Amino acid sequence: MARAAAVTPPTRLPATGERSGAVLARLQLMVTRKLDGLLQGDYAGLLPGPGSEAGESREYRPGDDVRRMDWPVTARTTLPHVRRTVADRELETWLAVDLSASLDFGTGRWLKRDVVVAAAAALAHLTVRGGNRIGAVVGTGAPVPDRTGRWRGGAPAAGPGTLLRLPARAGRKEAQGLLRAIAGTQIRPGRSDLGALVDMLNRPPRRRGVAVVISDFLAPPQQWGRPIRKLRVRHDVLAIEVVDPRELELPDVGVLPVVDPETGELHEVQTADPGLRRRYAEAAAAQRAAIAAELRTAGAAHLRLRTDRDWLLDMVRFVAAQRHARTRGTTR
């Protein structure tokens, strides 16, 4: 999908340079104030739910997972009981951060790349405040040839772009180092292989934890759907989809130059044509519906963040909704 080129530059968080450390510090302070003020109370973090350590039993209620049936207590009381579980006291969270060239775009308050870094900062805060470990794998696009056959951004890279693994460590200082590495990653032209990036979280096999995939998911669903389903077998999976409003609909501004940041192709689009705007919106809606359906089929929790909205407030609402859905009808 083409990207708007002639737009007013949005407010952005510099990813590299001397100011990146100060920007990350302000971002972390903002995340801390908001999340600590609204999300206190549960240990389990962003995706609260049953842990792996056995807790007390209670009577079965419609909707409970039958795999948690406590058969000895059921036999003694002649009433069906389920065994409650408590969260492990050490959680490992892994981020798969897609920094394809399409993320270096935005017409709202932020660039999509900035929202990716901000979401990673919020996740890091939610993880390390309980003494847990967080790691990441980062993918950037491989160079692609232009129409003349020349490679943009240098010689072609081997494989599906550049893939970087940052080991999981505990502690705020280590988390800050991880965020600096993500923010300082240079976006390369082209699109990274999102499926290969997610597969890096499957190898080597790890203890059950939380896996978070942050991307715009513009790659075909058949490329990344199966790796996410495989990841979901062992881990709780959260997919954070980053969207810009111009990817959903076109404004009526006459002739609009648009460029695809992954290939460098430039086109002029006549946005005054209502039929074209309607077809664009319909195609964009179908694309996002296909992404949501694939994530739902994979069993992943789905959070959509937009560059023209308060991403932190959307994240707070998502976490609150997750907790309400997981605890509804159960005894705390």
Side-chain angles (χ1 to χ4, degrees):
M1 185 178 293
R3 305 288 187 271
V7 296
T8 303
T11 304
R12 74 160 300 171
L13 305 174
T16 58
E18 295 180 357
R19 295 182 56 198
S20 61
V23 169
L24 283 175
R26 291 198 300 272
L27 176 62
Q28 186 175 19
L29 179 61
M30 179 173 61
V31 168
T32 301
R33 287 176 174 174
K34 177 74 75 171
L35 297 185
D36 277 349
L38 297 180
L39 296 180
Q40 294 285 11
D42 275 350
Y43 177 86
L46 190 63
L47 292 177
S52 60
E53 297 182 4
E56 62 182 10
S57 295
R58 63 167 174 80
E59 288 189 19
Y60 172 86
R61 296 172 183 170
D64 286 339
D65 190 347
V66 296
R67 293 173 297 182
R68 292 164 50 205
M69 293 294 296
D70 191 337
W71 296 112
V73 176
T74 298
R76 289 197 304 268
T77 63
T78 69
L79 294 174
H81 277 69
V82 293
R83 174 71 68 175
R84 298 184 62 194
T85 54
V86 297
D88 295 328
R89 298 311 297 175
E90 186 177 88
L91 180 71
E92 187 168 278
T93 298
W94 278 87
L95 311 179
V97 182
D98 177 20
L99 289 179
S100 297
S102 62
L103 273 297
D104 204 12
F105 168 79
T107 62
R109 298 170 57 188
W110 321 98
L111 297 183
K112 291 201 295 181
R113 175 197 177 112
D114 299 333
V115 177
V116 168
V117 175
L123 293 165
H125 172 73
L126 287 170
T127 299
V128 302
R129 68 175 183 173
N132 302 312
R133 298 188 302 273
I134 185 168
V137 293
V138 184
T140 62
V144 293
D146 58 21
R147 294 180 178 178
T148 66
R150 297 180 179 178
W151 292 92
R152 302 176 63 248
T162 302
L163 300 178
L164 172 66
R165 184 186 298 272
L166 304 171
R169 295 191 174 97
R172 295 188 179 275
K173 183 179 295 185
E174 287 72 14
Q176 291 172 1
L178 180 140
L179 292 175
R180 284 194 296 270
I182 294 175
T185 299
Q186 180 181 3
I187 290 183
R188 298 175 62 89
R191 168 159 292 281
S192 60
D193 187 335
L194 184 57
L197 184 66
V198 174
D199 265 336
M200 291 183 67
L201 299 184
N202 287 316
R203 301 190 304 267
R206 300 181 179 87
R207 59 178 293 183
R208 180 175 175 84
V210 176
V212 184
V213 183
I214 311 176
S215 174
D216 54 11
F217 291 95
L218 292 182
Q222 58 267 28
Q223 179 193 102
W224 47 263
R226 180 169 182 156
I228 289 183
R229 287 195 296 272
K230 182 180 177 182
L231 189 65
R232 180 64 182 87
V233 172
R234 190 174 183 85
H235 305 284
D236 290 327
V237 179
L238 168 63
I240 298 182
E241 179 189 5
V242 181
V243 182
D244 186 83
R246 292 290 76 82
E247 294 173 333
L248 304 178
E249 59 183 6
L250 288 175
D252 184 1
V253 293
V255 177
L256 177 67
V258 294
V259 61
D260 188 332
E262 296 179 358
T263 64
E265 294 186 10
L266 178 66
H267 301 276
E268 291 186 349
V269 180
Q270 178 53 268
T271 62
D273 181 358
L276 183 143
R277 296 199 307 273
R278 184 187 68 255
R279 292 192 300 272
Y280 181 93
E282 291 173 351
Q287 180 187 43
R288 297 299 166 179
I291 294 171
E294 187 68 29
L295 293 173
R296 185 167 54 251
T297 300
H302 182 199
L303 169 60
R304 180 175 292 170
L305 300 179
R306 293 175 52 124
T307 61
D308 60 340
R309 290 174 53 94
D310 186 340
W311 58 267
L312 192 52
L313 181 59
D314 287 342
M315 180 168 284
V316 168
R317 288 172 174 167
F318 172 81
V319 175
Q322 286 285 310
R323 290 187 172 175
H324 177 70
R326 295 293 184 98
T327 60
R328 184 172 47 197
T330 63
T331 303
R332 300 289 297 179

